[in-house]
Amino acid sequence: FGGARALQCPAVTWGALCNGEPFWRHRCVFLTGSMTMATGGMSSPPSVPRHTNRLINEKSPYLLQHAHNPVDWYPWGQEAFDKAKNENKLIFLSVGYSTCHWCHVMEEESFKNKEIGEIMNKNFVCIKVDREERPDVDKVYMTFVQATSGGGGWPMSVWLTPDLKPFAGGTYFPPEDGVHRVGFRTVLLRIAEQWKENKDALLQNSQKILEALLHVSEIRVQGQESPPPSKEVMATCLQQLSNSYDEDYGGFSKSPKFPTPVNLNFLFTYWALHRTTPEGARALQMALHTLKMMAHGGIHDHICQGFHRYSTDQHWHVPHFEKMLYDQGQLAATYSRAFQISGDEFFANVVQDILLYVSRDLSDQAGGFYSAEDADSYPTTASEEKREGAFCVWTAEEIRALLPDPVEGATEGTTLGDVFMHHYGVKETGNVSPMQDPHQELKGKNVLIVRYSPELTAAKFGLEAGRLGALLREGRRRLSAARAQRPRPHLDTKMLAAWNGLMISGFAQAGVALAEQEYVSRAARAAAFLRRHLFDPASGRLLRSCYRGEENTVEQSAVPIQGFLEDYVFVIQALFDLYEASLEQSWLEWALQLQHMQDKLFWDPKGFAYFSSEAGDPSLLLRLKNDQDGAEPAANSVTVTNLLRAACYSGHKEWVEKAGQILAAFSERLQKIPIALPEMARATAVFHQTLKQVVICGDPQGEDTKEMLRCVHSIFSPNKVLMLADGDSSGFLYRQLPFLASLERKEGKATAYLCSNFSCSLPVTSPQELRGMLCP
């Protein structure tokens, strides 16, 4: 993944890499490598807005944040496209999301500036897009920015011809020129001038760029290619991860450090398939060490739970403070697997911590999950300027004042504050390096990070090790109460089908691994929310998003956004996970219906694999197939396993064939750089190993059945699917899989069979025997 390189365009050369995936290196790096110095802070909102534009009619929290800019913003749509064509004007496209720190900075500096707004309105049709609502639009133009600059991020700024072809772009721009940078005002004026003087050349260049993008973005099967061999793909992926692994702090880069659950899930699968080898042991060690270091780090919110988006340093210490739903969902599932594998309660505690945060702070009353919490907030109720991390950081003085109590049994004069500050690395002058704080927003502040083991902290103060846990818990409780008095960061109350799917999987898998029925119930409630608010039963299609309305109602856009590939894939995965956790067959039935619809809307019958968006939208220049597992796994990666699970539950062999065709389409990438697709590399092994159907024949309420199910749930086995044969021949599963009728309970006891390709093992009736079959 390249660092910052200049953005080469026909008209201009510029760019900055902000706040995105692991292509870049600091909170914001200019092409010269110098840190940005944002001017001005976040002012408190005026009581009476001086301007209102048409974004006031939108539902997206991000678009609504810009509804009072002096810029004449349009949402993405025909009205804006028609205006650009009728007036022969260029389009300025700005893409971001509501909890994006640098999006706030650019709005404050440029989009709220009356003079810059006048330049924009005079020369361009200005369009705002919420990338979380419209990942299809974001992906098309991000492909352009990355291809021409070597990097990308948000806010994304792209200039388009009236027929939507990109010709220039970048990310964040400061408002005015600096020594090493071109300001936004200058860029706007230069591009407007180019359009007047060199229109034909600009149009020709935009056409050439589009043709090049079409060529480089095409993913298709070459000839008669077959799925790549899993042994080589898995070995290469392990080697590439091992080479990039940070032995000291875990993770797979120096900085910034992203959680990347896709890497950890690959390592768990590798271990499960190679348990007795040195490579298997190495895979497990890398995954568990990374998860421990993340949980100890400042990226983990030790006071109010959950995980921040990424850390800006090597040590998981100073985070970018926003919290995203997709991280919480994936990490809950990953830490659940770590607990299943290791039996270490530490990992179970982290799962409970994540799910407490989501239940309390990201849950809608109707059952859905909100998208994100912002990084920026007002330090106090009297503040006029927002600061990044203000809600989360502490001065040593604050902690001393909150925790003044002397600690009995400790060395003389020790207070609760002393113990707490030592354990969490708090320093009198603050513990954030200036390198991690270019705008001095965190000067004198502390980001809590676990610096010592409980044993070492206890020993320093002469305490019994068993007492420390209660002292730290009390300290965290008081800091949490104090934090509740601070102004909260902005909450993005948009609810997305895809991210809700990831979170349902997190709750369902945690419920299974930790034997917590309450988590399974929460997952079922969210799935019912999806069926009620993000699914159209008349057409059988998913919708992308809905929104919290007035008085906690759930609202939909005037023209609802149809679901994208990732919405189908993550929801289908969630429904399979929920079935295995609850054994409620209606979730299974819905999952298979959605899989048929996904095939109909997105499958590429010529090149194989699925397009990210459906055909027929004239405003989309490219139909793309995402080829990278990043902060979220690519939809095609997850769908390989979905298809194999769907085939097991339905008997439809064509889904196994489709899974193989996806792997064939991505074969070259999987063989050369599988580290870019660790989730698909993992699925390659599952494909070649063949999924095993674990069938439990028994009474769902019987204790012997529950014991067998507990046994299955306690084992991490990446190539199994679980089903309950309850004897009801009229039920959905028996109708799909006639062979289930031939499986019987042995001596009236709950009986387990391991089936593959419609042939089954000898029956077993004890959990011990079943464990032996699942862990050969």
Side-chain angles (χ1 to χ4, degrees), residues 288 342 433 695:
L288 294 181
S342 68
S433 152
V695 185

PDB file of all heavy atoms in Angstrom, residues 288 342 433 695:
ATOM      1  N   LEU A 288      -3.784 -13.796  18.673  1.00  0.00           N
ATOM      2  CA  LEU A 288      -4.119 -13.560  20.085  1.00  0.00           C
ATOM      3  C   LEU A 288      -3.302 -12.406  20.662  1.00  0.00           C
ATOM      4  O   LEU A 288      -3.822 -11.595  21.442  1.00  0.00           O
ATOM      5  CB  LEU A 288      -3.895 -14.835  20.908  1.00  0.00           C
ATOM      6  CG  LEU A 288      -4.821 -16.021  20.568  1.00  0.00           C
ATOM      7  CD1 LEU A 288      -4.518 -17.207  21.477  1.00  0.00           C
ATOM      8  CD2 LEU A 288      -6.295 -15.652  20.671  1.00  0.00           C
ATOM      9  N   SER A 342      -9.156 -20.096  22.924  1.00  0.00           N
ATOM     10  CA  SER A 342      -8.189 -20.059  24.043  1.00  0.00           C
ATOM     11  C   SER A 342      -8.801 -20.404  25.395  1.00  0.00           C
ATOM     12  O   SER A 342      -8.093 -20.835  26.309  1.00  0.00           O
ATOM     13  CB  SER A 342      -7.572 -18.660  24.138  1.00  0.00           C
ATOM     14  OG  SER A 342      -8.572 -17.723  24.555  1.00  0.00           O
ATOM     15  N   SER A 433       2.287  12.091  22.580  1.00  0.00           N
ATOM     16  CA  SER A 433       3.446  12.685  21.919  1.00  0.00           C
ATOM     17  C   SER A 433       2.991  13.799  20.977  1.00  0.00           C
ATOM     18  O   SER A 433       1.971  13.655  20.287  1.00  0.00           O
ATOM     19  CB  SER A 433       4.173  11.593  21.125  1.00  0.00           C
ATOM     20  OG  SER A 433       4.846  12.150  20.023  1.00  0.00           O
ATOM     21  N   VAL A 695     -25.366 -32.275  12.131  1.00  0.00           N
ATOM     22  CA  VAL A 695     -26.813 -32.419  12.325  1.00  0.00           C
ATOM     23  C   VAL A 695     -27.062 -33.025  13.707  1.00  0.00           C
ATOM     24  O   VAL A 695     -26.566 -34.108  14.017  1.00  0.00           O
ATOM     25  CB  VAL A 695     -27.442 -33.333  11.246  1.00  0.00           C
ATOM     26  CG1 VAL A 695     -28.965 -33.366  11.413  1.00  0.00           C
ATOM     27  CG2 VAL A 695     -27.063 -32.859   9.849  1.00  0.00           C
TER      28      VAL A 695
END
